Amino acid sequence: MLARRFTIVCLLMSLFGMLFAILVAEAGRPARSWDAANNCRLGCMNHFKR
């Protein structure tokens, strides 16, 4: 009985740990780089001016 409860608690804690790791990884990721898209647009405009 004790082993079953320990197993359930360990599984729940590992699930919580994985979800928390996903949240931390998403928070550490920089926002979408719209600057790169703007630089590409300017570069493409220069490309079509031939």
Side-chain angles (χ1 to χ4, degrees):
M1 186 69 171
L2 183 62
R4 188 184 319 168
R5 287 183 184 172
F6 181 72
T7 303
I8 291 170
V9 168
C10 286
L11 289 174
L12 289 175
M13 290 301 291
S14 64
L15 182 64
F16 174 76
M18 285 188 275
L19 292 175
F20 187 70
I22 291 170
L23 289 175
V24 169
E26 289 292 326
R29 190 177 291 179
R32 288 185 178 174
S33 177
W34 297 108
D35 294 335
N38 289 337
N39 290 337
C40 179
R41 187 181 71 203
L42 293 175
C44 294
M45 289 174 70
N46 290 335
H47 179 67
F48 289 122
K49 285 184 178 180
R50 290 183 188 183

